[in-house]
Amino acid sequence: SPPSMLSPFPCAVNGLQARTFGVWTLLSSVIRCLCAIDIRNRTLYYITLFTFCLALAHFLSEVFIYHTAALTIGVMAPLMVASFSMLGMLIGLQYLEVEELSKKKKKN
């Protein structure tokens, strides 16, 4: 079988792990889509931000702690997406707070 692009140990991945990672990826994408639909929902916003934190921590730990993934384009892509998404969401969080403050001032 061809060597895996993500793992130098392809025999370390079994079907259960692959399906679990697939379901986790699907769940994360559903949460991110729901946040995109209701971007002003603070709870959902924080949960979405946390999904990117988890993804970043997961891929960094696989590369640098467990050494089960090589630093290839297949690993660097999710690292970059998670990093830039977290940065964008942290910047966007300031705008959500400003919007809430302006709504409170209008009520008073």
Side-chain angles (χ1 to χ4, degrees), residues 58-99:
H58 168 73
F59 282 101
L60 286 174
S61 68
E62 293 299 328
V63 172
F64 295 111
I65 296 172
Y66 302 113
H67 305 289
T68 53
L71 201 55
T72 61
I73 191 68
V75 173
M76 289 180 64
L79 286 174
M80 290 171 41
V81 168
S83 300
F84 290 133
S85 298
M86 285 173 51
L87 179 63
M89 289 191 77
L90 289 171
I91 292 169
L93 187 60
Q94 296 173 3
Y95 291 101
L96 288 179
E97 291 173 357
V98 168
E99 186 175 296

Side-chain angles (χ1 to χ4, degrees), residues 13-23:
V13 178
N14 63 35
L16 175 61
Q17 291 168 318
R19 289 187 299 276
T20 301
F21 189 71
V23 169

Side-chain angles (χ1 to χ4, degrees), residues 6-80:
L6 292 178
S7 174
F9 310 106
C11 60
V13 178
N14 63 35
L16 175 61
Q17 291 168 318
R19 289 187 299 276
T20 301
F21 189 71
V23 169
W24 176 80
T25 303
L26 180 62
L27 176 61
S28 293
S29 66
V30 168
I31 291 170
R32 293 166 187 171
C33 287
L34 290 173
C35 183
I37 292 168
D38 188 10
I39 193 85
R40 291 180 178 86
N41 184 333
R42 284 182 77 73
T43 304
L44 191 55
Y45 197 90
Y46 282 118
I47 291 170
T48 304
L49 180 59
F50 188 65
T51 65
F52 287 115
C53 293
L54 282 174
L56 184 66
H58 168 73
F59 282 101
L60 286 174
S61 68
E62 293 299 328
V63 172
F64 295 111
I65 296 172
Y66 302 113
H67 305 289
T68 53
L71 201 55
T72 61
I73 191 68
V75 173
M76 289 180 64
L79 286 174
M80 290 171 41

